[in-house]
Amino acid sequence: PRGLPGVGRVSLVDVPGHAQFIPTMLSGCGGLDGALFTVAADEGPMPQTAEHLDILSLLGLERGVVALTRADLASPAARAEVEARTRALTAGTFLEGAPRIFVSAVTGEGLEALRAVLVAMARQTPPPPEGSPRLHVDRVFSVDGSGTVVTGTLTGGPLRRGDRVQLYPGEQTARVRGLQCHGVPAEALRAPTPAGVRLRDVGRGDTLAAPGTLTLTDRTDVSLRVLPDAPFPVHTGSQLHFHHGARALVCRCILLGQDVLRPGEAGWAQLRFTQPVAAAPGDRFVARFFSPLATVGGGVLVDLSPPGKGRMRPERLARLAALAEGRPRPAMESPAAPAAPAAPGPAAEAGGGAPA
């Protein structure tokens, strides 16, 4: 494909919009540089539209464009109403000042303007930070002659044919013998881009990364922000669904320094998981209520080897503040050891790839 004029190829991750597929949307929206946020001009924002916007905000997105689609089906009055509702929805978010463009695939209205905005957004996107490659597996399928193929969005540093990767949360390793992006074989891929790798004994939610670059833990201290429109507060002991990369786990939330976080509030918390999590400090996460299912908030992983006690101690909170700001952390008594990693699985082998 030609890509965008003056920019080249840009990868788009099309996530499902229906409320029942929010977990699927979460598994595919990590590592994004911007959002092409769509609202049907003949229907307007839906409840899941607001939840998608909340999730993108929690993941730290800073740029985007709003496409008001199916414009050929909307009357002038309907357009004005939908634009007003969309403006109200995005107020106070990273999309508040974003371009809003009426588009139609039938008449071609707005398509050139949308391309121009996407080109400008791509040019404003800073290069990805240097680091170790990481790929959250969001899809697993089989291809005749290639075996099991995993796909996801590559983040961090480049991934090259011949690199050795570890399959987290286990300890098995594999050597990458083939890569593809958009159906085209490649010797190396640079983040962020969709990628495919062939592996054995891998499942959705696993993570491929350079060996030893991620920490396995069954608990982590985090900064947690509760959404202003969250239906309930978060209490100490609340059970939550934890979404990180393409992985979803049940966790227990222990608030630090307080007993409740109400909608619109932020604070520190410890999340305790039912299974080991492979992560790095600074990773973002999204939290959803255990029941009823609704996005409650999210934040940043701060300490991956925290103590299990002393949740009300002022020095504990000062330590977290120092870690979050990148300052040397104050010492604490009896630091907790990292959680033991999961038992290693059978050896894996890597080979060809497939487009994400």
Side-chain angles (χ1 to χ4, degrees):
R2 293 176 304 166
L4 293 175
V7 175
R9 180 178 294 166
V10 174
S11 300
L12 296 176
V13 180
D14 184 12
V15 300
H18 196 280
Q20 293 181 349
F21 298 111
I22 291 291
T24 304
M25 178 264 184
L26 277 160
S27 71
C29 66
L32 302 181
D33 289 321
L36 173 55
F37 196 74
T38 61
V39 177
D42 60 327
E43 294 180 343
M46 297 294 175
Q48 63 267 24
T49 309
E51 191 166 9
H52 279 212
L53 181 57
D54 285 339
I55 289 169
L56 294 175
S57 298
L58 291 168
L59 292 176
L61 264 69
E62 297 179 349
R63 58 185 64 84
V65 55
V66 179
L68 302 168
T69 61
R70 307 204 306 188
D72 55 294
L73 301 179
S75 67
R79 289 189 182 203
E81 179 186 355
V82 168
E83 187 171 19
R85 290 171 58 193
T86 304
R87 186 183 300 109
L89 174 69
T90 58
T93 75
F94 73 99
L95 289 177
E96 181 173 21
R100 291 185 298 276
I101 303 173
F102 284 96
V103 297
S104 169
V106 175
T107 67
E109 177 188 353
L111 294 182
E112 287 302 320
L114 180 60
R115 289 190 187 97
V117 170
L118 291 175
V119 167
M121 189 165 65
R123 288 174 172 168
Q124 294 167 4
T125 300
E130 293 296 326
S132 300
R134 186 167 19 162
L135 187 143
H136 296 292
V137 177
D138 59 27
R139 194 158 57 108
V140 180
F141 57 95
S142 296
V143 175
D144 291 342
S146 295
T148 301
V149 174
V150 302
T151 70
T153 300
L154 178 67
T155 60
L159 184 65
R160 301 176 178 86
R161 191 166 69 92
D163 283 353
R164 182 163 293 279
V165 294
Q166 183 172 341
L167 179 60
Y168 292 90
E171 290 188 336
Q172 59 179 302
T173 62
R175 190 171 298 280
V176 178
R177 295 176 181 167
L179 293 168
Q180 284 193 10
C181 178
H182 298 291
V184 179
E187 289 294 309
L189 297 176
R190 293 191 174 275
T193 188
V197 182
R198 180 165 61 92
L199 289 173
R200 190 176 64 197
D201 302 317
V202 61
R204 176 175 168 175
D206 291 344
T207 301
L208 299 180
T213 57
L214 299 181
T215 299
L216 278 177
T217 183
D218 61 3
R219 64 177 181 261
T220 176
D221 283 358
V222 305
S223 63
L224 175 62
R225 178 168 67 90
V226 181
L227 292 169
D229 55 354
F232 303 105
V234 175
H235 295 269
T236 283
S238 293
Q239 278 193 308
L240 302 172
H241 289 281
F242 170 84
H243 294 267
H244 169 258
R247 192 169 176 82
L249 294 174
V250 174
C251 70
R252 186 164 175 252
C253 178
I254 306 298
L255 296 179
L256 307 177
Q258 57 196 111
D259 294 318
V260 60
L261 278 178
R262 295 176 175 81
E265 295 181 344
W268 305 108
Q270 181 170 111
L271 303 182
R272 298 178 180 176
F273 306 107
T274 56
Q275 302 172 40
V277 169
D283 285 356
R284 289 184 174 269
F285 71 93
V286 173
R288 305 187 79 213
F289 277 119
F290 187 77
S291 179
L293 281 174
T295 301
V296 57
V300 177
L301 308 187
V302 178
D303 188 355
L304 301 182
S305 55
K309 298 181 179 180
R311 72 180 187 92
M312 303 299 285
R313 294 171 61 184
E315 58 267 35
R316 172 85 172 271
L317 308 183
R319 178 174 179 265
L320 285 173
L323 286 173
E325 295 174 6
R327 294 184 279 115
R329 62 185 185 181
M332 285 191 65
E333 297 177 4
S334 304
E349 74 181 42

